[in-house]
PDB file of all heavy atoms in Angstrom:
ATOM      1  N   HIS A  17     123.021 113.993  99.618  1.00 44.00           N
ATOM      2  CA  HIS A  17     123.483 113.206  98.489  1.00 44.00           C
ATOM      3  C   HIS A  17     122.307 112.943  97.562  1.00 44.00           C
ATOM      4  O   HIS A  17     121.200 112.679  98.007  1.00 44.00           O
ATOM      5  CB  HIS A  17     124.042 111.872  98.962  1.00 44.00           C
ATOM      6  CG  HIS A  17     125.184 112.018  99.899  1.00 44.00           C
ATOM      7  ND1 HIS A  17     126.461 112.303  99.458  1.00 44.00           N
ATOM      8  CD2 HIS A  17     125.257 111.934 101.240  1.00 44.00           C
ATOM      9  CE1 HIS A  17     127.251 112.377 100.499  1.00 44.00           C
ATOM     10  NE2 HIS A  17     126.550 112.160 101.589  1.00 44.00           N
ATOM     11  N   LEU A  19     121.206 110.520  94.362  1.00 52.00           N
ATOM     12  CA  LEU A  19     121.538 109.353  93.551  1.00 52.00           C
ATOM     13  C   LEU A  19     120.663 109.355  92.318  1.00 52.00           C
ATOM     14  O   LEU A  19     119.475 109.612  92.394  1.00 52.00           O
ATOM     15  CB  LEU A  19     121.284 108.062  94.334  1.00 52.00           C
ATOM     16  CG  LEU A  19     122.090 107.854  95.595  1.00 52.00           C
ATOM     17  CD1 LEU A  19     121.653 106.566  96.277  1.00 52.00           C
ATOM     18  CD2 LEU A  19     123.562 107.816  95.291  1.00 52.00           C
ATOM     19  N   THR A  32     131.580  95.225  79.113  1.00 96.00           N
ATOM     20  CA  THR A  32     132.345  96.377  79.571  1.00 96.00           C
ATOM     21  C   THR A  32     131.436  97.221  80.454  1.00 96.00           C
ATOM     22  O   THR A  32     130.288  97.500  80.099  1.00 96.00           O
ATOM     23  CB  THR A  32     132.848  97.213  78.382  1.00 96.00           C
ATOM     24  OG1 THR A  32     133.694  96.381  77.587  1.00 96.00           O
ATOM     25  CG2 THR A  32     133.616  98.432  78.852  1.00 96.00           C
ATOM     26  N   THR A  36     130.123 106.241  85.987  1.00 91.00           N
ATOM     27  CA  THR A  36     130.459 107.661  86.050  1.00 91.00           C
ATOM     28  C   THR A  36     129.778 108.247  87.268  1.00 91.00           C
ATOM     29  O   THR A  36     128.591 108.010  87.496  1.00 91.00           O
ATOM     30  CB  THR A  36     130.014 108.391  84.768  1.00 91.00           C
ATOM     31  OG1 THR A  36     130.645 107.765  83.644  1.00 91.00           O
ATOM     32  CG2 THR A  36     130.387 109.858  84.821  1.00 91.00           C
ATOM     33  N   LEU A  54     138.297 104.288  92.766  1.00 97.00           N
ATOM     34  CA  LEU A  54     138.367 105.483  91.934  1.00 97.00           C
ATOM     35  C   LEU A  54     138.302 106.700  92.839  1.00 97.00           C
ATOM     36  O   LEU A  54     137.352 106.848  93.616  1.00 97.00           O
ATOM     37  CB  LEU A  54     137.197 105.514  90.934  1.00 97.00           C
ATOM     38  CG  LEU A  54     137.066 106.767  90.075  1.00 97.00           C
ATOM     39  CD1 LEU A  54     138.227 106.867  89.087  1.00 97.00           C
ATOM     40  CD2 LEU A  54     135.735 106.772  89.338  1.00 97.00           C
ATOM     41  N   THR A  55     139.308 107.555  92.753  1.00 97.00           N
ATOM     42  CA  THR A  55     139.293 108.805  93.507  1.00 97.00           C
ATOM     43  C   THR A  55     138.304 109.754  92.846  1.00 97.00           C
ATOM     44  O   THR A  55     138.335 109.950  91.628  1.00 97.00           O
ATOM     45  CB  THR A  55     140.695 109.433  93.533  1.00 97.00           C
ATOM     46  OG1 THR A  55     141.580 108.508  94.173  1.00 97.00           O
ATOM     47  CG2 THR A  55     140.696 110.743  94.304  1.00 97.00           C
ATOM     48  N   VAL A  56     137.427 110.324  93.648  1.00 97.00           N
ATOM     49  CA  VAL A  56     136.404 111.248  93.169  1.00 97.00           C
ATOM     50  C   VAL A  56     136.680 112.614  93.782  1.00 97.00           C
ATOM     51  O   VAL A  56     136.812 112.735  95.005  1.00 97.00           O
ATOM     52  CB  VAL A  56     134.989 110.765  93.581  1.00 97.00           C
ATOM     53  CG1 VAL A  56     133.934 111.751  93.125  1.00 97.00           C
ATOM     54  CG2 VAL A  56     134.722 109.373  93.034  1.00 97.00           C
ATOM     55  N   ASN A  59     132.707 117.946  92.570  1.00 96.00           N
ATOM     56  CA  ASN A  59     132.178 118.655  91.400  1.00 96.00           C
ATOM     57  C   ASN A  59     132.961 118.398  90.114  1.00 96.00           C
ATOM     58  O   ASN A  59     132.943 119.228  89.219  1.00 96.00           O
ATOM     59  CB  ASN A  59     132.087 120.156  91.695  1.00 96.00           C
ATOM     60  CG  ASN A  59     131.241 120.422  92.918  1.00 96.00           C
ATOM     61  OD1 ASN A  59     130.123 119.926  93.032  1.00 96.00           O
ATOM     62  ND2 ASN A  59     131.784 121.162  93.869  1.00 96.00           N
ATOM     63  N   LEU A  64     135.014 105.128  85.897  1.00 96.00           N
ATOM     64  CA  LEU A  64     135.755 103.887  86.084  1.00 96.00           C
ATOM     65  C   LEU A  64     135.258 102.907  85.038  1.00 96.00           C
ATOM     66  O   LEU A  64     134.054 102.662  84.948  1.00 96.00           O
ATOM     67  CB  LEU A  64     135.511 103.339  87.499  1.00 96.00           C
ATOM     68  CG  LEU A  64     136.156 102.012  87.843  1.00 96.00           C
ATOM     69  CD1 LEU A  64     137.673 102.147  87.874  1.00 96.00           C
ATOM     70  CD2 LEU A  64     135.655 101.530  89.200  1.00 96.00           C
ATOM     71  N   THR A  67     136.219  95.475  82.491  1.00 97.00           N
ATOM     72  CA  THR A  67     135.506  94.332  81.936  1.00 97.00           C
ATOM     73  C   THR A  67     135.036  93.449  83.083  1.00 97.00           C
ATOM     74  O   THR A  67     135.821  93.122  83.974  1.00 97.00           O
ATOM     75  CB  THR A  67     136.409  93.526  80.989  1.00 97.00           C
ATOM     76  OG1 THR A  67     136.826  94.383  79.923  1.00 97.00           O
ATOM     77  CG2 THR A  67     135.675  92.326  80.411  1.00 97.00           C
ATOM     78  N   HIS A  80     134.320 107.023 101.830  1.00 92.00           N
ATOM     79  CA  HIS A  80     134.399 107.973 102.945  1.00 92.00           C
ATOM     80  C   HIS A  80     133.026 108.361 103.475  1.00 92.00           C
ATOM     81  O   HIS A  80     132.859 108.614 104.668  1.00 92.00           O
ATOM     82  CB  HIS A  80     135.202 109.208 102.542  1.00 92.00           C
ATOM     83  CG  HIS A  80     136.599 108.879 102.109  1.00 92.00           C
ATOM     84  ND1 HIS A  80     137.527 108.315 102.956  1.00 92.00           N
ATOM     85  CD2 HIS A  80     137.211 109.002 100.907  1.00 92.00           C
ATOM     86  CE1 HIS A  80     138.653 108.118 102.303  1.00 92.00           C
ATOM     87  NE2 HIS A  80     138.489 108.512 101.057  1.00 92.00           N
ATOM     88  N   ALA A  84     126.106 103.468 100.130  1.00 87.00           N
ATOM     89  CA  ALA A  84     125.905 102.411  99.136  1.00 87.00           C
ATOM     90  C   ALA A  84     125.228 103.006  97.903  1.00 87.00           C
ATOM     91  O   ALA A  84     124.202 103.678  98.017  1.00 87.00           O
ATOM     92  CB  ALA A  84     125.063 101.297  99.721  1.00 87.00           C
ATOM     93  N   ARG A  93     127.886  84.057  80.987  1.00 92.00           N
ATOM     94  CA  ARG A  93     127.325  83.978  79.615  1.00 92.00           C
ATOM     95  C   ARG A  93     126.920  82.570  79.302  1.00 92.00           C
ATOM     96  O   ARG A  93     127.433  81.627  79.725  1.00 92.00           O
ATOM     97  CB  ARG A  93     128.368  84.436  78.596  1.00 92.00           C
ATOM     98  CG  ARG A  93     128.436  85.922  78.527  1.00 92.00           C
ATOM     99  CD  ARG A  93     129.038  86.374  77.193  1.00 92.00           C
ATOM    100  NE  ARG A  93     129.217  87.794  77.259  1.00 92.00           N
ATOM    101  CZ  ARG A  93     128.274  88.692  76.925  1.00 92.00           C
ATOM    102  NH1 ARG A  93     127.124  88.291  76.478  1.00 92.00           N
ATOM    103  NH2 ARG A  93     128.502  89.970  77.027  1.00 92.00           N
TER     104      ARG A  93
END
Side-chain angles (χ1 to χ4, degrees):
H17 301 281
L19 298 177
T32 299
T36 302
L54 175 68
T55 299
V56 178
N59 303 310
L64 177 67
T67 300
H80 301 297
R93 280 202 187 272

